Amino acid sequence: MRGLKVLPSGRPGRGRLYVNLPDGQAVAWYDRQANRISVLADDHREAILAVLRPYLSGTVSIGPPPVPTAADLRRLVLQPDADLAPNRPGETLLGELEHGSAGTRARHRLRQDLAAQQRMGDAFDALEPDGWRTLHCVPLPGLGRIDHLLIGPAGIFCVRTIPGRRQRAVVGDLLLTVGRTEPRPDPRWIRRAAAGASLALTARVTPALALVDASRIDKAPTVRDIRILHPPTATPDLTASPTTLKPPEIEALFTQARDTRTWLPTHTPHT
């Protein structure tokens, strides 16, 4: 059958691959970790195998899917254009650089922001074998986009990424300063974004700032509610944190968060 589409459940190379009909209905998925194809529509079996063949390796088992959980059912009916999971780190910045009309200086800043988001995004995506799920460029009406939303054993983290430019960064209650540049309102923004995400997901969300390539980070002693992430210790710190969410809770929250309908304007907090 022509028209079958293969869509990743997360970033390419990780997680499941879903095979969808042109109307968005899923007919199969390939679990890379289990090396198994679960077929939902047996009359499309040959076409499913043909479209998945470039992605298969080793001995692959094929059969009907296991009894689906509620999260599986919600994911299977999710339309591709409503799914945030395929977003790459810096997805919006990539579009601006490719199609925008920014000047030379602005494009340079965009490239720095993109490089920082891609570095942190790759580090967060690498946590998937440890039970973490990550979304990138999550729209938050009235506030722009959340760079990264992490859901894992240690909880939910709303992350804004800032290029450190090999300079000292100072995190205050309301402002962040990198080197001698003008202070930025990132601490205030990330608190608002985390509050909005918490309302949307009806769960506790921790605000976090990821400072990439900062030579040094100084945090005001009054800043206790914001998690500061600094490569290369950012992901080890997360995996070593106390467990607050179980795997079924992580999957349910990830399924909810990947749906664009979760982030409708009614969830945005007022200031």
Side-chain angles (χ1 to χ4, degrees), residues 43-266:
D43 52 330
H44 296 314
R45 177 183 288 253
E46 294 303 319
I48 290 167
L49 290 175
V51 75
L52 281 175
R53 190 164 289 120
Y55 306 95
L56 305 180
S57 62
T59 302
V60 180
S61 60
I62 306 170
V67 177
T69 64
D72 288 327
L73 293 173
R74 288 193 295 271
R75 179 169 57 241
L76 291 173
V77 300
L78 187 61
Q79 294 295 322
D81 60 353
D83 190 359
L84 297 172
N87 282 2
R88 299 165 292 177
E91 187 82 42
T92 305
L93 300 178
L94 285 166
E96 291 182 24
L97 284 168
E98 184 175 352
H99 305 293
S101 57
T104 303
R105 184 174 297 180
R107 291 180 67 84
H108 177 68
R109 287 196 298 269
L110 287 174
R111 290 191 185 96
Q112 287 184 322
D113 290 342
L114 176 60
Q117 289 190 31
Q118 288 176 331
R119 180 174 172 184
M120 287 309 307
D122 289 343
F124 293 147
D125 286 332
L127 293 175
E128 186 168 337
D130 295 317
W132 291 77
R133 300 291 180 264
T134 308
L135 293 171
H136 308 288
C137 294
V138 177
L140 200 58
L143 290 175
R145 291 181 180 268
I146 299 170
D147 293 341
H148 318 283
L149 187 74
L150 276 72
I151 305 173
I156 309 172
F157 296 86
C158 176
V159 184
R160 188 175 183 94
T161 301
I162 301 104
R165 303 184 181 91
R166 303 185 187 279
Q167 300 180 67
R168 174 174 173 256
V170 180
V171 182
D173 282 311
L174 300 178
L175 299 173
L176 164 71
T177 304
V178 177
R180 297 183 178 180
T181 60
E182 289 293 321
R184 306 162 42 128
D186 297 289
R188 181 171 53 191
W189 187 94
I190 198 61
R191 286 190 183 98
R192 291 185 61 202
S198 181
L199 286 174
L201 299 173
T202 61
R204 180 182 178 183
V205 178
T206 300
L209 295 175
L211 289 147
V212 179
D213 286 333
S215 61
R216 172 182 167 185
I217 300 175
D218 293 330
K219 183 177 72 169
T222 51
V223 180
R224 301 186 183 93
D225 58 329
I226 299 177
R227 187 76 170 258
I228 304 299
L229 304 174
H230 185 209
T233 62
T235 51
D237 287 349
L238 288 172
T239 55
S241 299
T243 298
T244 61
L245 294 176
K246 298 178 180 179
E249 295 172 318
I250 294 169
E251 290 302 322
L253 285 164
F254 179 70
T255 299
Q256 180 185 1
R258 68 189 295 178
D259 189 339
T260 56
R261 292 170 295 185
T262 298
W263 307 98
L264 293 177
T266 53

